[in-house]
Amino acid sequence: MHPLRRHIEEVISLEDAEFDHVLNHFTPIKKRKHQYLIQEGELINKEYWVVKGCLRAYVLDESGREHIIQFALEDWWVTDYQAFEKEVTSQIYIDCLEDCELLYITKSDREKLSQEFHKMERFWAKKTKFGYIASQNRVLSLLKNTAKERYELMSAQYPNIIQRVSKKMIASYLGVSRETLSRLY
Amino acid sequence: MHPLRRHIEEVISLEDAEFDHVLNHFTPIKKRKHQYLIQEGELINKEYWVVKGCLRAYVLDESGREHIIQFALEDWWVTDYQAFEKEVTSQIYIDCLEDCELLYITKSDREKLSQEFHKMERFWAKKTKFGYIASQNRVLSLLKNTAKERYELMSAQYPNIIQRVSKKMIASYLGVSRETLSRLY
DNA sequence: AATTTCAAGTGATGTAGGTCACAAATTGGA
DNA sequence: TCCAATTTGTGACCTACATCACTTGAAATT
């Protein structure tokens, strides 16, 4: 079964013809390690689904520090949602930490598919709800846990990310300096 | 015009009959200052919309500290989304900071309305997307800004919250101690 | 009107985590 | 295969913010 179908069918069920119709709206692309999907200042009309590889979404602050918003591994969706939804220019970067295979859908195709296909609207709505809940939990973790606790929670929740990305990246996701993270254990 | 109709029509348009049908799924309740809407350990099958008043959603950590997840003023939606969506018991408290008037809809009515009424699904999907974006921005602010900067950003973005709630509450939303917040200016 | 409770400011002191600097180990190009 | 870049660890020192303790004043509560 197509990996995207498996992924969607974790939430809603699809007929063969329905999935083919959905898949027709996606375009595959490949990117190599270090290449960018999105850079600051661009208008974003694509949402990406990771077939294979690993990416990060991050912002650069005035002092040049990187702050990681999100990692994306196989089966994850990624884009600059602020730019995508509000049709403003991106404030973030998304680049590949490994060679990547992706499928993307444009904003207009996503909307078209949601309109004509109630089930897909429900699928995306559910994904967004869960993303929102995860983000609220991350806020709470930043408010109530120490750096060490946050690292341990992340190790428990996303062991595969810990294995695949450098500690420097983990540090910049957790909101702690590289040096401090290195001294935690 | 009914305040809920005005609120919904900021996103989608509704006929008179359609709005009446939507409103029929909501139940009004009043709560006094200090009363709870939600307490830890409960199953949550209601989402609330604030007609009048001011509430906070917060967690209590092991050392008894309160961490505010969200404030809710007029026109805001509030519930424990984790408990509501995943049908698990609540880990949070929601209480009234002022006397409140609310409208609530149950989970099953919300789903029914979304099913039979594509427009309402779109309305809620949009609300969730925007909540998700706001939450990601809050994560970023916690990662990259100092306590003082976070306070200033909040003052600019939510001046009405700053005016209505105590500094102690603001501190526990910003992730800073009461004392430090008091020394910032 | 009296009493209790809560909000808010401020001094003194403690600490988690940041910053800078350097070295060793690992990875990746050309 | 060699050179350059990147990652990771670690020591020395610094700082933003926390904690504790106390005071004052304003709101609630009776």
Side-chain angles (χ1 to χ4, degrees):
Chain A
M1 193 187 286
H2 193 289
L4 181 59
R5 180 162 182 186
R6 190 185 24 70
H7 174 72
I8 295 174
E9 292 221 42
E10 283 168 16
V11 179
I12 56 167
S13 59
L14 291 175
E15 306 293 316
D16 290 1
E18 287 175 333
F19 175 70
D20 289 345
H21 182 63
V22 169
L23 188 59
N24 274 336
H25 293 80
F26 284 86
T27 309
I29 47 163
K30 292 192 181 201
K31 289 272 180 183
R32 301 196 153 257
K33 188 166 172 175
H34 297 131
Q35 287 187 312
Y36 284 92
L37 231 55
I38 286 176
Q39 287 183 271
E40 196 172 359
E42 296 175 348
L43 281 168
I44 310 302
N45 73 334
K46 299 182 181 70
E47 184 181 20
Y48 300 87
W49 186 73
V50 184
V51 179
K52 192 159 175 14
C54 175
L55 306 94
R56 84 223 241 241
Y58 67 95
V59 293
L60 268 179
D61 70 19
E62 318 76 53
S63 14
R65 262 186 299 259
E66 296 171 357
H67 304 278
I68 295 183
I69 299 162
Q70 196 206 138
F71 291 107
L73 270 56
E74 287 80 13
D75 277 17
W76 286 67
W77 295 88
V78 67
T79 191
D80 177 349
Y81 287 98
Q82 179 142 23
F84 185 78
E85 293 299 338
K86 302 192 175 173
E87 304 190 356
V88 295
T89 57
S90 178
Q91 315 230 71
I92 76 169
Y93 297 87
I94 300 183
D95 68 356
C96 300
L97 302 178
E98 304 173 359
D99 292 353
C100 286
E101 290 170 36
L102 305 150
L103 289 170
Y104 71 77
I105 185 168
T106 64
K107 183 166 163 123
S108 55
D109 275 350
R110 191 197 207 264
E111 280 168 4
K112 183 174 144 261
L113 214 44
S114 295
Q115 286 278 332
E116 72 191 23
F117 217 171
H118 197 171
K119 279 201 267 187
M120 284 303 292
E121 170 113 62
R122 250 178 51 226
F123 169 77
W124 274 306
K126 191 140 194 169
K127 284 285 149 193
T128 311
K129 283 173 197 171
F130 280 58
Y132 179 40
I133 291 166
S135 180
Q136 281 203 166
N137 284 330
R138 190 169 168 208
V139 167
L140 280 178
S141 185
L142 286 165
L143 293 180
K144 70 183 215 206
N145 298 117
T146 62
K148 181 163 197 179
E149 289 167 339
R150 274 178 273 144
Y151 178 73
E152 281 157 5
L153 289 168
M154 187 182 179
S155 303
Q157 200 177 0
Y158 304 110
N160 43 346
I161 297 181
I162 303 281
Q163 283 160 19
R164 275 165 80 170
V165 316
S166 69
K167 313 254 168 180
K168 189 186 156 192
M169 303 278 172
I170 306 287
S172 111
Y173 178 84
L174 292 175
V176 79
S177 74
R178 234 203 70 225
E179 294 93 328
T180 296
L181 182 64
S182 159
R183 278 185 260 254
L184 287 182
Y185 46 125
Chain B
M1 194 187 286
H2 193 288
L4 181 59
R5 180 162 182 185
R6 189 185 24 70
H7 173 71
I8 295 174
E9 293 221 42
E10 283 167 15
V11 179
I12 55 168
S13 60
L14 291 175
E15 307 292 317
D16 289 0
E18 288 174 332
F19 175 70
D20 288 346
H21 182 64
V22 168
L23 188 60
N24 274 336
H25 293 80
F26 284 85
T27 310
I29 48 163
K30 294 194 179 197
K31 290 271 179 184
R32 301 197 152 256
K33 187 167 173 174
H34 297 131
Q35 286 187 313
Y36 285 92
L37 230 55
I38 287 177
Q39 286 183 271
E40 196 172 359
E42 295 175 347
L43 281 169
I44 310 302
N45 72 335
K46 299 182 182 71
E47 185 181 20
Y48 300 86
W49 185 73
V50 184
V51 180
K52 193 159 175 12
C54 175
L55 306 94
R56 84 224 241 240
Y58 67 97
V59 294
L60 267 179
D61 70 20
E62 317 76 53
S63 15
R65 262 186 298 261
E66 296 171 357
H67 305 278
I68 295 181
I69 300 162
Q70 196 207 136
F71 291 106
L73 269 58
E74 288 79 14
D75 277 16
W76 286 68
W77 296 87
V78 68
T79 190
D80 177 349
Y81 287 99
Q82 177 142 23
F84 185 78
E85 294 299 338
K86 303 192 175 172
E87 303 190 356
V88 296
T89 56
S90 177
Q91 316 231 70
I92 76 169
Y93 298 86
I94 299 181
D95 68 356
C96 300
L97 302 177
E98 304 174 359
D99 292 352
C100 286
E101 289 170 37
L102 305 148
L103 289 171
Y104 72 78
I105 184 167
T106 64
K107 183 166 163 121
S108 54
D109 276 349
R110 191 196 207 265
E111 280 167 3
K112 183 173 146 260
L113 214 44
S114 295
Q115 286 278 334
E116 72 191 21
F117 217 171
H118 198 172
K119 279 201 268 187
M120 284 304 292
E121 171 112 60
R122 252 180 50 227
F123 170 77
W124 273 307
K126 190 140 197 171
K127 284 285 149 192
T128 311
K129 284 173 196 171
F130 280 57
Y132 179 40
I133 292 165
S135 181
Q136 282 204 165
N137 285 330
R138 190 170 167 206
V139 166
L140 279 177
S141 185
L142 286 164
L143 293 180
K144 70 184 215 207
N145 298 117
T146 62
K148 182 163 197 178
E149 289 167 340
R150 275 179 271 144
Y151 179 72
E152 281 158 4
L153 289 167
M154 186 181 179
S155 303
Q157 200 178 0
Y158 303 110
N160 43 345
I161 296 181
I162 303 280
Q163 283 159 21
R164 275 166 81 170
V165 316
S166 69
K167 313 252 167 178
K168 188 185 156 191
M169 302 277 171
I170 305 287
S172 111
Y173 177 86
L174 291 175
V176 80
S177 73
R178 235 203 68 225
E179 294 92 329
T180 296
L181 182 63
S182 158
R183 276 184 264 253
L184 287 182
Y185 47 125

